[in-house]
Each structure stands twice: as structure tokens, then as C-alpha cells.
Amino acid sequence: MNGGYEPLLRHLPHWTELVALLQARLERHGDYPHWRRVIDELPVLDIVPPSFGDTVTISGDLNDAEKQKLRALLLELHPWRKGPFALFDIHIDSEWRSDFKWQRVAPHVDLEGHRVLDIGSSNGYFGWRMLAAGARWVIGIDPTVLFCMQHQAINHFIQSEANWVLPLAFEDLGESFCAGCFDTVFSMGVIYHRREPLEHLDHIRRCLVPGGRVVLESLVVVDPPSLAPRQHYARMRNVRHVPTPQLLCQWLRQSGFTGAEILDITPTTRIEQRSTDWMHFESLQESLDPESPELTIEGYPAPTRCTITARTKS
Ligand SMILES: C[S@@+](CC[C@H](N)C(=O)[O-])C[C@H]1O[C@@H](n2cnc3c(N)ncnc32)[C@H](O)[C@@H]1O
């Protein structure tokens, strides 16, 4: 087995078959050889213990020429959607201020000693925050290979065996791999893409221990009825539903969760999501109606996100 995934089996010894797939999943992406070379060229450096605050920060000694080279390498892994990160004073100003989301979630969840699954983890930014909040380990899964490579770049310096980003879709975690393996499961920014949201929640429930917690974050509309966008929503493809917070709570109950609690409802601003040097493409700004920014370009209510938590029965 290669790809450095063996230590994962200490957390999940029955994942041997799954772990054997991972390297091949990465390698079948056409850009993998380029991204691999970028990571192989990253310098090997001593670092001081990293800090997993609002900006995930890695520090150590690097001269200006080395910094320039490192910056150029990290830019080869464009677009950086989630962050921010700072590596040796290079500030990766990602499209999303993911720290804003974490500030909305963190006060409500106790992760002390928890085994965590983060579905749609992107580059693992939240995994670092979860470790700082006391999680024992975090398994992030995301089928987008570039995000797995960004995580590898960050972890090249941190060398953690506690925060993983694996090239897997949630559908890959069949019953034999995930049943009752996790104390907390995060599904943030994923459910509105799912054709069958109840199946997604039922699958999450089966991943959790009795009394385990789901943290569910979704685009919502605050005024009924819920939306089923015809084609695009804020220029995103595959947004199947934009539910109301109440409908999300109802889905959780229908899927066997109890005590659904709405933690937060916040409109997404152009400060939280925007184009930057590290994400050159268009962003929220271009997805809103220029005349009426309370509407998307398609005429729907502009993005608002809701975080809900609930538990499985004990
Ligand atoms: C909108 S982003 C949300 C990222 C992060 N969780 C957050 O809240 O900022 C959705 C992520 O889910 C990933 N994703 C898409 N389909 C998935 C699937 N079937 N299973 C797991 N992750 C998926 C995407 O690659 C993307 O990184």
C-alpha cells in the first residue's frame, strides 16, 4: 500500500479495503502528476508547533527567496476555496473566510475526545479547527482531488496523523466502513446538492454512535416555501433544494434524529465569500443581481446559510 495512508488504519482498522483505493483515486486525475510534483518540491523545514486559530498558521525560518518560491508553488494549487492559512508569513487568502463559519459553529459543539467525520471537507481547514477544539481525530472526505492535494501541501509541513482529507464521496462509505464509527459528523455545504436529502441524513445517522451528534449546515430560504431551483442557484449547478430551516429540522426528525436545534442563520456576505489572489474566478459578487443584491442573478433570494445540530437516540 502506498500514498502514506497506512496510519489511518490505527483510527479505523477495518478500512483496509477502502484505504487501498485512495492513491489510485488521486492518480486517475489528469492533473495529479503536476500537483504531485508541486508537493514533492515543497521544502523540508523545521516548524514551530502550528496554531489552529482563525488563520491556520505554520511558522519557521525561511528567507525571502525561499518564500517567493514557496508562494509560487502554493499558487500552482489554485483555486484555494477554504481557509485562511498562513505559511511562513505567506497569507493564503482563500475565497471563503471559513473562520467566519467556524465562529458560528464552534461555540455550540463540544468535540472533546471525539472521532469526527467531515463530509465535503474541502482542503481540511475545518479539520484543523476541530483538532484545536479537542477532537481526537478528524476524517475529512472530499471527491475533489485538488482539495486533497491542498491538504497534502499543508500537512507536508504539519505532519499530522489526526487530520485527514481522503478522496472519497460520502456514498463510498458503505455500511461496513462507517456504522457507528463517529461521535460527531459534520455535513456543511453538502445537503442542498443531494438529490435525496433524507438518504443523506439517514446515512449520517448510521455513521454515528448512539447519542452522537450531526452538525448540518445548508443554504436556506427563510420564508417558505422551500426552493427547488430549475437550473442554477447563484450560478451554482446541482443545487437541488434550498429548504427552509424548519424543513431541515423536519428532515432530521424524519431521519431518526432528536432535539434538532437551529444554531445560526446568517446571510452570506461579499466579505465572507469573494475573489482573491488565491481564487481568481468569479465569486458571490457576480452571482447576485447587480440592481438588487438581495436576489441572486436568477431572481432567487440571495444565499443565506443555516446551521442546525441534532443527535441520534441514545
Ligand atoms: C460547498 S463546499 C463546502 C465545503 C465545506 N464543508 C464548507 O462548509 O465550507 C461542498 C464540498 O463538498 C464536496 N462534495 C461534493 N460531492 C460530495 C460527496 N458526494 N461526498 C462528499 N463531499 C462532496 C465538494 O467537493 C466540496 O468541496
Side-chain angles (χ1 to χ4, degrees):
M1 200 187 296
N2 56 14
Y5 289 110
E6 295 85 346
L8 184 59
L9 297 174
R10 280 204 284 282
H11 306 318
L12 294 157
H14 61 300
W15 276 30
T16 315
E17 204 184 306
L18 205 53
V19 163
L21 293 175
L22 300 176
Q23 187 59 23
R25 285 275 175 96
L26 298 180
E27 286 176 13
R28 76 184 179 197
H29 194 287
D31 289 324
Y32 177 79
H34 172 62
W35 294 332
R36 176 80 267 146
R37 268 196 306 279
V38 167
I39 291 168
D40 290 344
E41 277 189 45
L42 295 173
V44 175
L45 295 168
D46 288 331
I47 61 163
V48 299
S51 128
F52 301 146
D54 285 344
T55 300
V56 169
T57 302
I58 299 170
S59 310
D61 282 335
L62 210 59
N63 66 36
D64 283 349
E66 289 167 328
K67 251 184 232 172
Q68 286 302 334
K69 186 171 175 215
L70 176 57
R71 187 172 194 282
L73 286 170
L74 294 169
L75 278 168
E76 294 285 326
L77 302 178
H78 174 274
W80 288 80
R81 300 258 178 208
K82 311 297 168 182
F85 297 92
L87 282 78
F88 311 95
D89 293 332
I90 299 163
H91 183 65
I92 301 183
D93 187 15
S94 50
E95 176 188 19
W96 282 85
R97 289 289 307 268
S98 306
D99 49 323
F100 289 11
K101 185 179 289 191
W102 188 244
Q103 282 163 18
R104 297 193 288 265
V105 171
H108 306 283
V109 289
D110 176 6
L111 294 179
E112 203 52 54
H114 282 202
R115 298 159 298 167
V116 176
L117 175 66
D118 184 11
I119 303 164
S121 60
S122 188
N123 61 24
Y125 169 85
F126 291 110
W128 303 117
R129 308 302 308 270
M130 291 169 195
L131 289 184
R136 193 189 318 172
W137 44 258
V138 181
I139 306 298
I141 54 171
D142 203 301
T144 304
V145 170
L146 174 62
F147 302 153
C148 301
M149 302 309 285
Q150 290 177 351
H151 173 73
Q152 287 195 13
I154 299 293
N155 205 30
H156 164 87
F157 298 106
I158 299 177
Q159 299 278 308
S160 168
E161 293 182 359
N163 182 24
W164 295 85
V165 174
L166 309 177
L168 295 172
F170 191 32
E171 305 79 84
D172 293 320
L173 296 190
E175 194 74 17
S176 60
F177 296 116
C178 68
C181 286
F182 301 97
D183 303 294
T184 300
V185 174
F186 287 81
S187 165
M188 302 194 292
V190 175
I191 196 165
Y192 48 84
H193 289 302
R194 307 310 303 160
R195 214 183 281 277
E196 303 289 350
L198 291 176
E199 264 177 32
H200 180 74
L201 294 176
D202 189 57
H203 191 179
I204 291 175
R205 187 182 48 73
R206 286 181 280 116
C207 291
L208 284 162
V209 294
R213 185 199 284 273
V214 60
V215 178
L216 180 67
E217 194 252 15
S218 178
L219 284 167
V220 290
V221 283
V222 284
D223 291 321
S226 299
L227 282 177
R230 276 161 197 258
Q231 283 199 317
H232 294 91
Y233 172 81
R235 302 192 319 156
M236 282 181 277
R237 281 177 294 123
N238 300 330
V239 175
R240 313 274 176 198
H241 332 261
V242 187
T244 58
Q246 292 69 26
L247 182 59
L248 282 173
C249 291
Q250 186 186 316
W251 284 348
L252 283 161
R253 280 193 294 276
Q254 277 175 262
S255 309
F257 286 94
T258 59
E261 191 186 344
I262 297 173
L263 302 178
D264 178 81
I265 300 176
T266 299
T268 306
T269 66
R270 285 170 279 187
I271 300 173
E272 183 168 356
Q273 186 190 13
R274 73 275 191 261
S275 311
T276 69
D277 286 351
W278 294 81
M279 203 302 290
H280 300 152
F281 306 140
E282 294 178 345
S283 186
L284 179 63
Q285 165 91 26
E286 293 78 17
S287 305
L288 301 179
D289 182 332
E291 306 292 318
S292 313
E294 71 284 4
L295 297 177
T296 68
I297 202 134
E298 304 86 5
Y300 298 122
T304 289
R305 289 174 181 264
C306 171
T307 311
I308 301 184
T309 180
R311 287 191 181 273
T312 56
K313 294 182 182 122
S314 301

